Amino acid sequence: THFGYQTVREQDKAAKVREVFSSVAQKYDVMNDLMSLGLHRAWKAFAIAQSGVRPGQRVLDVAGGTGDLARAFAKRVAPDGNSSNQDAGAGRDGSAGKTGQVWLTDINGAMLGAGRDRLLDDGLDVPAVQCNAEHLPFPDSYFDLVTVAFGLRNMTHKDAALTEMWRVIKPGGRLLVLEFSKVWAPLKAPYDLYSFNLLPWLGKQVADDDASYRYLAESIRMHPDQDSLKNMMQDAGFDRVDYFNLAAGVVALHRGFKY
Ligand code: SAM
């Protein structure tokens, strides 16, 4: 399979991806702001707005890393702070009917730990589960919403991960995939210049790691474009799949439903 532009043995890819995210975990948030000039916040805000999430719903954030989406959803599913996660954890008031839940998951312990710490600092008691998106440890038809932001690109078997996400979504529920995609052709040259020169340089200065940011640029080019990902989601079982281009296709938000 591919790891950026390198060809690696399929069984080696996950370990290489792990090295990337273990290396950048502590600088991940500041790098996101710097390299996107803060735009990743707007892309995530758009995904949150499109999610239609409501109090009482169950949300799974796959490859959730440092927890940007999980934090926003935790405030929406349980605006008063009484999610069933918290009730279950503390056994406090046993309040019936408060079923809002958000689960933060990621394959990488360093990213997940950074995310859990950030959420706890915000007073949010969200369970953090270390797991591979290709084998989700959740029952069938459990979540109203599953999200995966900038994570699918790194997975070895994207089809297996999408099928797993479909499995754990309730009938009537939906998946949102926020991911880098294929940029509008006239912008390709300046975008390439930025990605292959400025990005690794920035990675070196801030995270002392240019290789991980070179991998980022390469992995974006190897990722399926908008229509290919739409087809993959349909193949995994999703209905009414559509997508929105953001920043001229630098990023796309795909949405699909389970019926
Ligand atoms: N969702 C967060 C965000 O938008 O800021 C983090 C995105 S970060 C670029 C990609 C994340 O995907 C990393 O935390 C990485 O550990 C995770 N990841 C990669 N492969 C994975 C897999 N097979 N299963 C679950 N998570 C995975």
Side-chain angles (χ1 to χ4, degrees):
T1 191
H2 53 83
F3 172 74
Y5 287 169
Q6 295 173 41
T7 302
V8 298
R9 290 188 312 167
E10 210 171 78
Q11 61 267 40
D12 294 341
K13 176 162 173 164
K16 289 187 156 294
V17 169
R18 188 180 324 123
E19 273 173 36
V20 166
F21 289 103
S22 297
S23 161
V24 303
Q26 293 310 316
K27 298 286 181 187
Y28 178 81
D29 293 318
V30 66
M31 271 302 286
N32 267 359
D33 276 333
L34 285 174
M35 65 189 179
S36 74
L37 297 175
L39 266 179
H40 77 103
R41 293 171 185 255
W43 298 328
K44 287 170 180 162
F46 183 73
I48 294 157
Q50 288 298 323
S51 72
V53 83
R54 293 193 302 277
Q57 292 195 322
R58 287 187 192 146
V59 181
L60 172 66
D61 189 25
V62 171
T66 55
D68 280 348
L69 288 186
R71 182 171 46 177
F73 290 133
K75 291 177 180 162
R76 279 166 178 74
V77 301
D80 57 358
N82 282 322
S83 74
S84 64
N85 294 142
Q86 290 169 339
D87 294 342
R92 281 191 289 267
D93 60 4
S95 44
K98 289 177 179 164
T99 54
Q101 295 183 358
V102 176
W103 294 75
L104 172 67
T105 64
D106 200 286
I107 200 170
N108 187 297
M111 291 291 283
L112 193 65
R116 185 204 49 211
D117 291 351
R118 265 180 86 201
L119 291 165
L120 282 175
D121 287 348
D122 276 4
L124 294 168
D125 185 6
V126 169
V129 178
Q130 188 170 358
C131 61
N132 188 342
E134 297 173 18
H135 307 281
L136 292 171
F138 297 100
D140 295 355
S141 303
Y142 190 75
F143 294 100
D144 298 283
L145 170 68
V146 173
T147 54
V148 55
F150 306 108
L152 190 66
R153 193 185 66 250
N154 302 293
M155 295 173 193
T156 311
H157 305 104
K158 298 174 188 41
D159 48 354
L162 289 170
T163 304
E164 271 294 86
M165 294 181 217
W166 186 88
R167 179 182 66 75
V168 300
I169 292 175
K170 287 180 190 170
R174 60 248 180 249
L175 170 69
L176 291 178
V177 182
L178 189 64
E179 188 53 271
F180 293 105
S181 202
K182 192 165 182 187
V183 72
W184 184 47
L187 291 184
K188 185 177 177 304
Y191 183 55
D192 282 353
L193 198 70
Y194 164 79
S195 311
F196 290 107
N197 296 285
L198 197 59
L199 210 57
W201 178 83
L202 205 57
K204 181 75 189 159
Q205 304 309 310
V206 177
D208 193 24
D209 180 355
D210 44 347
S212 292
Y213 288 89
R214 200 164 297 114
Y215 162 74
L216 168 63
E218 293 176 1
S219 67
I220 291 170
R221 271 69 184 178
M222 299 304 287
H223 189 63
D225 65 14
Q226 286 84 341
D227 286 318
S228 306
L229 179 54
K230 178 178 174 177
N231 288 336
M232 288 171 69
M233 287 174 65
Q234 285 167 337
D235 289 347
F238 289 96
D239 282 290
R240 276 177 55 204
V241 179
D242 58 2
Y243 62 81
F244 307 85
N245 280 314
L246 305 171
V250 168
V251 166
L253 177 71
H254 283 69
R255 181 177 57 179
F257 294 83
K258 175 172 175 178
Y259 287 125

